[in-house]
Amino acid sequence: MAKTYFAWYSTGEYGKVWFEADNEAHARELLEKVQVGEIAFEDLPKMDSKIKGGDGFEFDGLEEID
């Protein structure tokens, strides 16, 4: 069963992103794919966020949401 995770992100400004993954390892793998451009930020499973603008992505922390 998929779980919901969130991470802080920055693209010149900052915010939070929520998305679903099978487990923490899968969640980290998805964030790495966004960072290297393998998948688009908006293609994270069941993603929700408010993008402020800027280029590239940096993620800080990852937490599971109940």
Side-chain angles (χ1 to χ4, degrees):
M1 180 175 183
K3 299 177 182 180
T4 302
Y5 291 86
F6 83 86
W8 295 99
Y9 73 89
S10 65
T11 63
E13 294 194 22
Y14 66 93
K16 267 187 186 177
V17 61
W18 293 263
F19 62 97
E20 288 191 355
D22 295 332
N23 53 46
E24 186 175 334
H26 182 223
R28 290 187 185 283
E29 177 184 330
L30 289 169
L31 293 180
E32 287 175 18
K33 286 183 176 187
V34 170
Q35 285 181 302
V36 300
E38 286 185 34
I39 63 172
F41 187 58
E42 54 274 357
D43 290 338
L44 288 169
K46 298 197 178 182
M47 185 277 283
D48 188 20
S49 74
K50 292 183 181 179
I51 299 174
K52 305 292 185 183
D55 296 323
F57 289 96
E58 291 186 28
F59 297 100
D60 183 26
L62 176 66
E63 296 184 34
E64 182 180 332
I65 299 173
D66 293 330

